[in-house]
Each structure stands twice: as structure tokens, then as C-alpha cells.
Amino acid sequence: MIELVFATNNKNKLDEVRAIVDGRFFIKSLEDIGCYDDIPETGDTFEENAKQKSDYLFRHFQLDSFADDSGLEVESLKNEPGVYSARYSGTRNMEDNIDLLLEKLGDNANRKACFRTVISLYLNKEQHFFEGVIYGEITHERKGAEGFGYDPVFVPNGYDKTFAEMSATEKNDISHRAIATRKLGKYLLSL
Ligand code: IMP
């Protein structure tokens, strides 16, 4: 079986990919390879950040790998918070991050937004990118208690509830991350 490192220790992300490529690829986490480094993510785009992580693993561990980077882009805020989604307010506190987002949007009628994930794969000396995007709108107030991050204020197009009002199964079926992950899985299974 071909071994591939996923530059994460997030169990949900690992399970999602493993379920897709099970039997063909053996997916290892950062812990599995003994990597406890704080891998730099200093890029201006999701592509750059994801690539930084997969490059790092090749440079320091000589291992083929893939890495993801995601975030929220709000059209009327010039695509903020983007790569700064996790620390928009200057802290990693999501309550503060959501407060800042709602404050900046105010009563703005244009509440169009999207979640975007980019996966960088470095395999057999080749670089590949896979992208997943889901479009929707930012609400005026939080709704729902499921999920994480900006889920309570994001309603995907075609739905009348936020990501935080959906079950994990329902969200994971349509999310930006699921779309990018399925593209990665399709590519890996085609090899
Ligand atoms: P990561 O690159 O997957 O760690 O995502 C970076 C940040 O983007 C997270 O800390 C969240 O603030 C935000 N984000 C990414 N994906 C989601 C999602 O599915 N729901 C809500 N927020 C998300």
C-alpha cells in the first residue's frame, strides 16, 4: 500500500480522507511520523499555505504528503477574513472573530460569502492542487450549536439554515472541505 502523510492531527479530517482512499493509500498523520513542529503558514493565499505545509514535510522528512488550508471569504469585505479566518480578531477566539465579522458587515445588504479549501498534494515529485468552494450568505446573528468556526453565521445557498444548524453528516456532505477531499480522493484512486 502507498503511504502518504496528511499534514494534520485533526481526527475528523483524517477519517474523512481515509474513508475515501481506504485500501489503496495508508494515510499517516503528523503524529504518526513523529512531526511535532509548528509548520509555518505565512502565505497570502490558501494555495501558498497548503503548499508550505506539504513542502515542509518533503524538505524535513523526505515524505510525500498533502495538506489543506481553508477559510471564509466575504465579498463585501474584499474577501476577508480569508487566510486570517482562524485569527481574524487578533485572537483564536471564535466568538471574537464572529463578533468582528458581524460588526464589519453591519447592515450591509450584500452578505455573499464562501468557504474555500485548497489541498496541496506533493506526490512522486509532482505538485497538485484540489479546491472546494461552497457559496452562501452571512446571517445577521448566530444560529445553531453544531460545527465550529463561522458555522453559526453561514447559510449555504439553497438552504434556510446555517451550517451550525445542520448535522455533521449533512454539512460534511456539501462542505468546501468535502468537495476538495473528494477531488483528491478521485485523483489518488485514478493512479
Ligand atoms: P483550517 O485551515 O481548516 O484550519 O481552517 C482555518 C479557519 O477557517 C478555521 O479556524 C475556521 O475559523 C475557518 N473555517 C474553515 N472551515 C470552516 C468550516 O467548515 N466552518 C466554519 N469555519 C471554518
Side-chain angles (χ1 to χ4, degrees):
M1 210 168 353
I2 303 166
E3 285 189 2
L4 203 49
V5 182
F6 186 1
T8 187
N9 286 317
N10 181 313
K11 197 178 171 312
N12 293 330
K13 291 185 181 181
L14 286 159
D15 285 348
E16 201 175 354
V17 180
R18 283 174 178 150
I20 295 178
V21 299
D22 193 31
R24 288 283 308 281
F25 286 82
F26 185 70
I27 307 294
K28 292 183 157 186
S29 67
L30 289 174
E31 266 176 18
D32 290 338
I33 61 161
C35 174
Y36 301 98
D37 308 352
D38 195 9
I39 304 177
E41 277 181 67
T42 55
D44 293 328
T45 62
F46 300 122
E47 281 83 357
E48 280 169 31
N49 279 342
K51 185 171 180 297
Q52 265 183 354
K53 291 186 263 187
S54 54
D55 283 354
Y56 185 95
L57 291 178
F58 192 72
R59 220 175 25 254
H60 294 266
F61 293 82
Q62 289 75 51
L63 290 171
D64 283 345
S65 72
F66 60 94
D68 70 337
D69 197 46
S70 313
L72 177 72
E73 294 178 339
V74 180
E75 190 177 276
S76 64
L77 299 180
K78 298 187 183 140
N79 289 342
E80 279 183 17
V83 289
Y84 303 107
S85 292
R87 51 201 147 98
Y88 193 34
S89 62
T91 76
R92 290 193 165 264
N93 182 313
M94 275 319 297
E95 295 309 315
D96 292 348
N97 291 338
I98 291 178
D99 282 345
L100 179 62
L101 179 73
L102 294 180
E103 190 188 310
K104 284 206 180 193
L105 265 178
D107 287 332
N108 201 320
N110 176 5
R111 309 191 75 87
K112 286 185 197 155
C114 71
F115 276 118
R116 190 183 301 278
T117 292
V118 176
I119 295 176
S120 159
L121 169 72
Y122 189 76
L123 178 61
N124 300 330
K125 306 216 158 24
E126 280 182 21
Q127 172 71 53
H128 301 268
F129 290 104
F130 305 92
E131 185 175 65
V133 187
I134 178 156
Y135 294 93
E137 303 243 327
I138 302 297
T139 54
H140 287 270
E141 56 197 34
R142 294 166 170 83
K143 281 183 205 145
E146 302 298 320
F148 72 100
Y150 297 91
D151 281 352
V153 292
F154 181 82
V155 175
N157 288 345
Y159 291 79
D160 58 4
K161 54 185 174 183
T162 67
F163 263 174
E165 292 177 294
M166 294 183 179
S167 67
T169 320
E170 195 177 0
K171 178 190 163 187
N172 292 340
D173 202 39
I174 59 169
S175 80
H176 47 308
R177 191 169 298 101
I179 296 167
T181 303
R182 275 190 224 117
K183 287 182 185 172
L184 167 75
K186 193 171 169 197
Y187 174 73
L188 291 176
L189 294 176
S190 75
L191 295 176

